Amino acid sequence: MYHRGGTAEPEGVREQAPSVCVVIPARPRPDELREAIASARDQCYTGPLSVIVVFDRSEPDFSLERSGCRPVRVLANTRTPGLSGARNTGILAAEAEWIAFCDDDDVWHSTKLREQMRVVNALTDFVTSSILVAHEGRITPRLAGTNRISHHALIRSRMSMLHASTFVIRRASLLGSLGLVSEEIPGSQNEDWDLLLRASALAPISHVDLPLVTVVWGRSSYFARRWDTKIASSEWLLENYPAIAADDRGAARLMAKIAFAHANQGKRREAWRWAGRALRRNPRQWRAPLACAVALYPPSGEWALNTLNRFGRGV
């Protein structure tokens, strides 16, 4: 699934390349996890590279540990249970200059780190890339169309191509001005959007508009059908980001997502209420009428979501 190879750079460049630690939160899916680890270790990046696998609410598999020039450490999550706590456990245990995230069911392409670290300079603290969405055998590229991500753009849209598995962040920033991954967000969902919002408020995010990570969408994702946490985390964002609540496009988008989640739970009245709020803010917000339709027949929500996912889109 990931691409091997790449041209090695001169030895002198290798000595100057910053160190990177890849933090992989893990749940019990060993085959996908091993592929994610292999894709991280098989980078054609010339700087020091290490991997920390953090098992969350499951027994750590210490057989995954490796020594050598690209070591793998296995840890248990020692912070808040959930994705955010697992990532923070890895960040705090790492010693590298840069932290990269990779989910345990995603795969890096072999040039990912090399391409992203090429754009790093003294003023860069956060780098993302675009993705390929894999869903039921179909691969769809999702590009941003820009090499700089503004705070305003992220207020209006989550920009799903900026997946957490593309993040490369200066560790000093995570321990300083940016801060760690939020462990307050319900269910550790939308924690990646929160991190993007906080980072872009400090400075525009550097972006490599190449699809350098294959992201699997579908039922294998732990959050794919967690409607309760989708609702709670979206409401948390509306409450904690006044700029989103004040922006008609940004607020309507979140309200319609809340409506769709209620519709899939069979809560028709709540779905219609949130859909109405969304349409009053932005009559063009297509998720709102979709939520109303699903509220009439909740099983249709699964069909709608799968159809969107096939084309690399979500609700």
Side-chain angles (χ1 to χ4, degrees), residues 135-136 189 216-231 260-262 264-265 298-310 313-315:
H135 179 73
E136 296 181 351
Q189 194 158 20
V216 178
W217 281 6
R219 285 193 170 276
S220 64
S221 171
Y222 178 68
F223 290 119
R225 306 298 187 270
R226 293 292 302 274
W227 304 116
D228 52 345
T229 57
K230 288 179 184 294
I231 293 167
F260 185 79
H262 279 302
N264 277 275
Q265 290 182 317
S300 66
E302 189 70 25
W303 174 86
L305 197 57
N306 282 332
T307 300
L308 288 167
N309 286 171
R310 284 188 66 246
R313 302 285 172 174
V315 172

Side-chain angles (χ1 to χ4, degrees), residues 3 109 111 129-133 140-143 208-214:
H3 307 296
H109 301 186
T111 59
S129 79
S130 293
I131 61 173
L132 294 176
V133 175
T140 306
R142 290 296 309 275
L143 307 178
V208 178
D209 205 25
L210 297 171
L212 300 176
V213 179
T214 297

